[in-house]
Amino acid sequence: MNPLQKIIHSYPLVATMRKSYIKILFIFLPLLFFSCFTLRASKNSEPLPPTPLPPLPPEGRLKLLKPLSIDWIQGDRNAPVVIIEYIDFECPICAAYYPILQELKRKYGDKLSWIIRHNPSISHPEAFPASMAAEAAGRQGKFWEMVNLLLTNQKEWSFKSSCTEAFLQYAKKLGLNEEQFKKDLQGVEGIPLRKRILADCLSAIRVGVDGNPNFFINGEKIPNPSNLEEFSTLIEAELIKRKSDKS
């Protein structure tokens, strides 16, 4: 059993609860989500986003599940296969998928692009600050580099009160302007970044995301593959479909 499968099988109760209570979550998640994260992520007050609407119909979902102008995209946005991942940086399963996504990028090259959208969970107290760290690094052109450090070093900062210290160390390692990075993590200058993350969270609700990670391939939600081979099979099928559509 590979590391990803071990992690997945170690959460049977979570999987069962997710299936049983998904309707309840859709009712109460918005209220819990925004109240918890606004308090956790910032000491400054800011206007909350409007109450999220229910999941969109299929045609509306497709619009949100295409590369958007605000998206972080690794690869060509016009690639034949576009993977959108809704992610929680403190989620162990998300971290376990990271090397698989890296291998897929190496394997398929310009045939594949990968989009990350934030979906920090209320059960992971440092997930929102980690998303802030990624966005703050992105403001200085190092989003994907920070993502790499957050996911490969997750055990260093996860569930620790000193996570900010770890993020500052990563910023220094990446050669970022540390003072600007600090300002972006907290205070007024960080408000646009918080709103950017919450926008992703709203889109997650509207397209029917029910946990982390959630993957979409060319706008279609897929069951989370348990290994590289299963993920490759799905991508190969999509490449064949795209080739068939052109012929």
Side-chain angles (χ1 to χ4, degrees):
M1 185 178 293
N2 63 42
L4 176 60
Q5 290 171 318
K6 288 181 181 178
I7 292 175
I8 291 173
H9 287 294
S10 69
Y11 290 89
L13 180 59
V14 173
T16 302
M17 291 177 65
R18 186 170 66 182
K19 292 179 181 178
S20 301
Y21 298 107
I22 186 64
K23 292 183 180 180
I24 297 175
L25 285 175
F26 270 121
I27 296 173
F28 292 103
L29 177 61
L31 180 60
L32 288 170
F33 182 87
F34 293 114
S35 61
C36 290
F37 279 146
T38 302
L39 291 172
R40 178 78 186 185
S42 174
K43 296 179 181 178
N44 301 293
S45 60
E46 62 177 284
L48 290 175
T51 302
L53 297 174
L56 291 168
E59 61 274 13
R61 290 173 72 252
L62 284 176
K63 290 181 180 179
L64 274 180
L65 290 171
K66 292 180 178 179
L68 304 176
S69 60
I70 65 171
D71 278 328
W72 293 106
I73 303 176
Q74 194 173 75
D76 185 354
R77 66 174 54 242
N78 296 314
V81 177
V82 177
I83 295 176
I84 296 177
E85 177 184 7
Y86 282 89
I87 193 170
D88 173 326
F89 289 117
E90 200 173 9
C91 165
I93 300 178
C94 293
Y97 269 107
Y98 180 66
I100 292 179
L101 269 296
Q102 294 297 95
E103 182 59 33
L104 291 173
K105 282 293 298 173
R106 286 190 289 269
K107 182 177 181 179
Y108 293 101
D110 59 6
K111 295 179 181 178
L112 177 69
S113 65
W114 176 30
I115 294 172
I116 276 183
R117 292 181 182 171
H118 303 281
N119 190 37
S121 168
I122 58 175
S123 64
H124 293 147
E126 308 307 332
F128 195 99
S131 285
M132 288 288 291
E135 287 293 326
R139 182 171 279 185
Q140 298 188 47
K142 298 284 187 176
F143 175 82
W144 291 101
E145 291 85 349
M146 180 61 78
V147 166
N148 177 67
L149 290 173
L150 291 171
L151 293 174
T152 57
N153 299 288
Q154 189 185 77
K155 292 181 181 179
E156 288 184 1
W157 56 268
S158 179
F159 286 98
K160 294 182 180 178
S161 59
S162 60
C163 70
T164 301
E165 294 179 13
F167 300 158
L168 290 173
Q169 290 177 4
Y170 299 158
K172 185 175 182 179
K173 185 174 183 178
L174 294 175
L176 303 182
N177 181 315
E178 294 177 57
E179 288 305 313
Q180 183 60 52
F181 185 79
K182 288 179 184 178
K183 290 178 182 179
D184 288 334
L185 285 183
Q186 55 193 343
V188 175
E189 293 193 39
I191 289 177
L193 304 187
R194 289 194 288 278
K195 290 182 176 180
R196 165 72 182 80
I197 294 166
L198 293 176
D200 278 357
C201 298
L202 284 173
S203 77
I205 294 171
R206 303 215 71 193
V207 300
V209 168
D210 55 2
N212 289 300
N214 261 206
F215 295 100
F216 295 80
I217 293 183
N218 288 344
E220 294 293 330
K221 186 176 179 180
I222 63 170
N224 285 355
S226 61
N227 51 48
L228 175 65
E229 289 70 27
E230 287 186 15
F231 227 134
S232 295
T233 298
L234 293 170
I235 292 172
E236 294 288 351
E238 194 62 28
L239 288 172
I240 292 172
K241 178 182 175 182
R242 294 286 161 168
K243 187 175 181 180
S244 175
D245 289 343
K246 289 183 178 180
S247 60

